[in-house]
Every structure is written in C-alpha cells, then in structure tokens.
Amino acid sequence: MFRSASYRLVSCRGLATNATKNLTIGLIPGDGIGKEVIPAGRQVLENLNPKHGLSFNFIDLQAGFQTFLDTGKALPDETVKVLKEQCQGALFGAVQSPTTKVEGYSSPIVALRKALSLYANVRPVKSVSGTNDRPVDMIIIRENTEDLYIKIEKTYKDPATGTRVAEATKRITEVATRRIATIALDIALQRLKNNGQATLTVTHKSNVLSQSDGLFREICKDVYESNKNKYGGITYNEQIVDSMVYRMFREPECFDVVVAPNLYGDILSDGAAALVGSLGVVPSANVGPEIVIGEPCHGSAPDIAGKGIANPIATIRSTALMLEFLGFNAAAQDIHQAVDANIREGRVKTADLGGDATTQQVTDDILARL
C-alpha cells in the first residue's frame, strides 16, 4: 500500500517513536454506525501479533451530533484537550450532520482538523488483486484545513430585488498549499522508490477560479520545480476537476497520487470508492505534526445504524493507516494483508459488498487472519 517513513511522527511529545511501544489511542465513535465500527479498530489493535511489541491504552472520547444534542457542543473542549495532551493517535467514526441549519452546530471533524492542525487527509483507493474489481491504485491527498470548509458564510437580502443571497468564502493560502504539495510529493517519492515510477496529478479549477485555484496550481508547481533534485523522477500532471472526475471513472489506472483542495478532494475520494466496491472499504488518515487520526470515509449511515451490519473494513484499514503514519509499518502491513485476504476470498462480507455477514463476523474473520 503506502509506506509512510517520511511522515513518521518521531517528535510526538516524545512518545510515538519506534523506541516506545506503548501508544495511547483516542476512540471517538461519533454517530450512527461509528459506534459499531470503531470497536473493530480497537479489536484489531488489541490482537496484533506480539512480535510487533506494541501495546495500547484507549481513551473513550465524545464528539458528534448526538453529543451536541446532549451537551450543546459537537466537539467538547475535553476531547480536544485529551487528544492534544495524551494521545499519539485516534480513530474517528462518523458524524450525522443535519442537511439544514441547526443553530450552534457545526461539523466536529472539521473543527477537530483545525484544532489539531491535521492539514492532510490521505485516502488510498486500491483494489485487491485476485478479485473482479478494476485495477485501481491511487492515493488522493486532500488539503484539510481551508477552502470552503473554513465555513465563513452569510445570508442577506439583495437590496435591489429583496430576495435572499447566500455567500461562502473560499480560502486558499500559500502556506497550506506548500504544506499539502510537499506531503503529496513525498508520498509520490515513496511510491517512486517502491514501484520505479510515480505520477502526481494536481487537481484544480483555475480556468474559472483564477485567483484561488490559480494560487493552488501555482504553488504546487513551484514546490515541484524548486525541488527538482528531489522530485525530478516524479511525473508532474495537472487536471481540471470536472475532467478529472470523468477520467477517474473511465481510466482510473492513469492516476497514482492526486492532490486537491479540500472540497474537490472530498468529492473525488468519495467518488473513487465506487471503483473498489463500496465506501465501506476505503480508509483515510488525518495527518498533523503531532497526531494522526484514522477515519473511515463513509458517513453515519442512519438507515442501517444499530443493525450490526455496517462494514468495518474502512475503519480497520484506517487503523492500519494510522499505524503507518506513526512509523509502525510492519504491524500495518499485517492488517492490510488480513483485510485483503478477507476481500479476496469473499466468503465473509457485509451487505454493501453483496454478502450477509454482520460487522462482528467480518471483524472476527480478519482477526483470525492476523
């Protein structure tokens, strides 16, 4: 999959290094099926092969829409405090965000990314060899802190027509873009070393948004051009976001590492999940300078919440991805191999993949393969 040696958090408050094998992991189930899949991630960590020498302390933490209804805050201060002061990693489940405005509520995962400087959302989308899925092996890297997700919006009346107007601010900064371009190029560099070739595709809409997306495009290109001695072996491409969507579904094999502003990255990575069967199998990692939070790409799925049939694979793969970014690659690869074996065999699978297994049955099958 992806070996993240370049982003090992060796300075994570002196704790998350290969010399120290005890890790404190925050567990934030959130809403809906998050409460059912996060326990699968914990079970996997608890059942890792002893050869890896890892042990874990777990801290249960609160966030989500139900937490907002119960306490008036979607992201309690205590959750942020514990993550900052005690945890090297965390697993975040899902959020049930209302589609209409609820006074005082905003997405806790968006707020958490800002509070912990989780500037990169890394989403591998990869098919498993030996299955009937199309051959796909791409990593979508999404800038995680700005764009339209800064949530500066306003509604007012147009004095000329007396009708309502809603506006949202799209923010792209040079600092954030340099940061995301660098991690994307470093990931591409790792793939170059592993595979002998790598391509970075910068996705934007600068033909319309010449200022904001134009800056994103310009800075990504500058990071690449200014470091040709390091990144020169990587093929550098650009793709307008609408044609990117078209090509991603028509010829996904053309894409390797993709970097995009926040909104486009969100849409592309969710759409790409259709190429490998389900959102229930696609993981992500929110990466910052001091902590990594694994997060499955699916939502809270209120239609199946409480039925025990949610697919735990996205969470289990996110758990492995968290370990990779913390520098524990061998343990992560064991998890990836166990998941791949489950998918390849196709005997124990949840309804989203055409099966009838429960969340725990899939988890147990993967645990047995560990």
Side-chain angles (χ1 to χ4, degrees):
M1 203 173 192
F2 161 60
R3 296 183 181 275
S4 53
S6 297
Y7 284 85
R8 185 173 300 163
L9 300 188
V10 294
S11 61
C12 189
R13 293 183 292 279
L15 294 174
T17 71
N18 280 338
T20 304
K21 304 291 186 174
N22 184 271
L23 301 174
T24 298
I25 307 297
L27 301 176
I28 314 168
D31 301 307
I33 63 170
K35 296 179 179 2
E36 300 167 52
V37 295
I38 291 302
R42 174 173 180 161
Q43 289 175 66
V44 165
L45 291 175
E46 290 174 328
N47 286 275
L48 284 175
N49 193 309
K51 71 182 180 183
H52 298 301
L54 292 173
S55 63
F56 300 92
N57 301 317
F58 298 99
I59 303 177
D60 295 318
L61 299 169
Q62 298 298 314
F65 188 61
Q66 187 59 51
T67 299
F68 170 77
L69 295 177
D70 293 341
T71 69
K73 298 194 75 170
L75 180 62
D77 295 340
E78 180 65 16
T79 294
V80 177
K81 183 174 186 291
V82 170
L83 290 172
K84 282 184 174 181
E85 295 179 1
Q86 299 183 45
C87 299
Q88 293 79 57
L91 298 175
F92 191 102
V95 176
Q96 182 181 331
S97 291
T99 55
T100 56
K101 181 179 180 181
V102 174
E103 193 64 38
Y105 177 81
S106 62
S107 170
I109 187 60
V110 172
L112 196 58
R113 290 166 181 162
K114 292 179 181 178
L116 299 177
S117 298
L118 301 170
Y119 66 90
N121 188 267
V122 181
R123 297 190 174 191
V125 181
K126 184 177 181 180
S127 56
V128 175
S129 60
T131 67
N132 293 324
D133 288 335
R134 297 169 68 181
V136 179
D137 186 6
M138 72 176 83
I139 298 179
I140 298 173
I141 300 164
R142 164 188 170 195
E143 201 291 317
N144 219 17
T145 63
E146 52 182 30
D147 198 6
L148 287 167
Y149 286 60
I150 61 172
K151 290 187 67 65
I152 297 179
E153 299 181 279
K154 63 180 179 180
T155 303
Y156 60 92
K157 278 194 174 182
D158 184 337
T161 64
T163 59
R164 286 180 298 166
V165 177
E167 291 183 358
T169 299
K170 176 185 174 79
R171 178 175 295 157
I172 301 290
T173 67
E174 179 176 344
V175 169
T177 304
R178 285 193 182 279
R179 194 166 52 179
I180 201 67
T182 300
I183 189 173
L185 283 162
D186 281 352
I187 288 172
L189 186 63
Q190 192 65 43
R191 285 166 77 89
L192 177 66
K193 293 174 181 177
N194 292 341
N195 305 328
Q197 59 184 8
T199 299
L200 178 72
T201 302
V202 177
T203 305
H204 58 84
K205 189 67 177 175
S206 66
N207 57 327
V208 175
L209 301 169
S210 58
Q211 296 282 321
S212 53
D213 281 21
L215 180 63
F216 187 86
R217 174 178 180 256
E218 174 193 333
I219 297 304
C220 286
K221 186 65 177 289
D222 182 65
V223 173
Y224 175 72
E225 294 285 356
S226 299
N227 296 277
K228 271 290 189 68
N229 59 327
K230 181 178 181 182
Y231 301 128
I234 299 167
T235 302
Y236 185 95
N237 290 332
E238 294 182 0
Q239 193 78 48
I240 300 295
V241 65
D242 41 357
S243 61
M244 173 72 196
V245 172
Y246 177 80
R247 288 194 65 202
M248 185 177 73
F249 285 107
R250 292 279 294 188
E251 42 187 0
E253 66 279 358
C254 293
F255 297 103
D256 184 14
V257 178
V258 177
V259 64
N262 208 337
L263 178 62
Y264 307 151
D266 192 2
I267 295 168
L268 287 173
S269 53
D270 279 10
L275 297 168
V276 292
S278 167
L279 272 170
V281 302
V282 178
S284 77
N286 298 282
V287 181
E290 293 194 333
I291 191 170
V292 180
I293 298 183
E295 177 194 4
C297 290
H298 57 68
S300 62
D303 56 324
I304 63 169
K307 297 181 180 180
I309 59 173
N311 193 336
I313 284 178
T315 293
I316 292 171
R317 281 178 160 170
S318 297
T319 302
L321 205 56
M322 176 191 71
L323 289 177
E324 285 187 63
F325 274 100
L326 291 174
F328 301 103
N329 290 314
Q333 294 310 312
D334 276 4
I335 298 172
H336 289 315
Q337 289 167 13
V339 171
D340 287 357
N342 166 273
I343 293 174
R344 187 179 297 111
E345 185 175 302
R347 182 177 56 84
V348 183
K349 56 187 178 182
T350 46
D352 58 315
L353 297 178
D356 59 4
T358 66
T359 305
Q360 191 58 52
Q361 286 171 336
V362 173
T363 303
D364 288 343
D365 185 70
I366 291 169
L367 292 177
R369 298 174 190 276
L370 280 175

